[in-house]
Amino acid sequence: MSYDYDDQNIFAKILRGEIPNTTVLETEHSLAFQDITPQAPTHVLVIPKGAYVSFDHFALEASEAEIVDYVRAIGSVAKICGVDLGEGGGFRLISNAGQDGVQEVPHLHVHVLGGRNLGRMLAKA
Ligand code: 5GP
């Protein structure tokens, strides 16, 4: 299995500084920024800096340092946004992948959503 990464995707452009973003957190291997169309009071996207299409791609090919950095960055974003269970009311992580996951941007991202009750996980089809 090989993953084709399109380096013209919008998050690759954000990583190269070609498109502005509102950064929440930057670490050695990860970047977190506000979603341009927020669907909750907290809606932050966390991406690895490496060229990974999706979560499964990242899980297969990322280094342990990248994986640890990314997981910790996601937890830090929840804390920075005040939705972590230490201080806040909780949150939801979503990572859409591929066609059935209805992934719009083909660079791995985890949505960190919170700040209100988010309702049930999926609407009935
Ligand atoms: P997906 O559907 O791929 O899981 O989510 C892509 C997300 O990227 C959407 O929530 C969308 O609002 C966000 N998005 C798309 N283009 C941009 C952009 O140029 N800047 C930012 N900050 N978010 C974007």
Side-chain angles (χ1 to χ4, degrees), residues 14-112:
I14 284 176
L15 283 168
R16 290 195 293 268
E18 295 167 12
I19 292 179
N21 74 91
T22 304
T23 298
V24 173
L25 175 70
E26 181 166 9
T27 64
E28 184 180 0
H29 295 294
S30 308
L31 180 70
F33 52 90
Q34 302 287 353
D35 195 291
I36 204 166
T37 312
Q39 295 186 37
T42 292
H43 189 171
V44 174
L45 302 171
V46 190
I47 66 174
K49 291 181 178 175
Y52 301 103
V53 176
S54 57
F55 198 95
D56 53 321
H57 185 198
F58 186 71
L60 266 181
E61 295 188 3
S63 68
E64 291 188 9
E66 289 176 300
I67 291 170
V68 169
D69 180 291
Y70 190 57
V71 172
R72 291 210 191 280
I74 293 167
S76 296
V77 164
K79 192 163 182 56
I80 290 165
C81 295
V83 297
D84 65 299
L85 294 194
E87 302 286 335
F91 57 91
R92 179 173 296 159
L93 306 179
I94 297 176
S95 190
N96 298 316
Q99 207 173 357
D100 285 355
V102 195
Q103 181 180 10
E104 179 191 333
V105 181
H107 181 112
L108 169 60
H109 49 285
V110 166
H111 299 253
V112 181

